[in-house]
Amino acid sequence: QAYRYRKVSVSAKATYIRSMPGKNGKKLARVYLGTGVERVAVCDNGWSKVTYEKKGKKGTEKIRDLESG
């Protein structure tokens, strides 16, 4: 079953979008509470792959830091 893209928003006070799904991924952008992102996939380790438009950068973010929007 294919994953459906979903608009979500950051539920943490502040967090980072990273280049890889994990704390070792390079920090691409800092995002704040309520920032909207588009979840495009959920990784096996519990992180979500998201698209966030800021200077065209894309990265990954922990799913626990996101909520349905």
Side-chain angles (χ1 to χ4, degrees):
Q1 186 176 19
Y3 185 83
R4 292 169 40 157
Y5 288 30
R6 187 173 186 176
K7 294 281 185 182
V8 294
S9 59
V10 175
S11 61
K13 193 173 185 178
T15 191
Y16 289 98
I17 293 178
R18 296 175 180 267
S19 62
M20 296 172 40
K23 291 189 178 194
N24 293 331
K26 180 182 173 185
K27 295 175 183 176
L28 300 176
R30 190 162 190 189
V31 290
Y32 299 91
L33 182 66
T35 301
V37 296
E38 184 174 36
R39 184 187 303 153
V40 297
V42 177
C43 302
D44 291 339
N45 65 357
W47 287 59
S48 288
K49 184 173 184 179
V50 300
T51 298
Y52 171 67
E53 295 301 322
K54 181 176 182 184
K55 298 181 184 175
K57 292 185 179 180
K58 297 179 182 181
T60 55
E61 187 53 70
K62 276 186 166 180
I63 194 169
R64 70 178 173 82
D65 290 339
L66 301 174
E67 66 184 8
S68 296

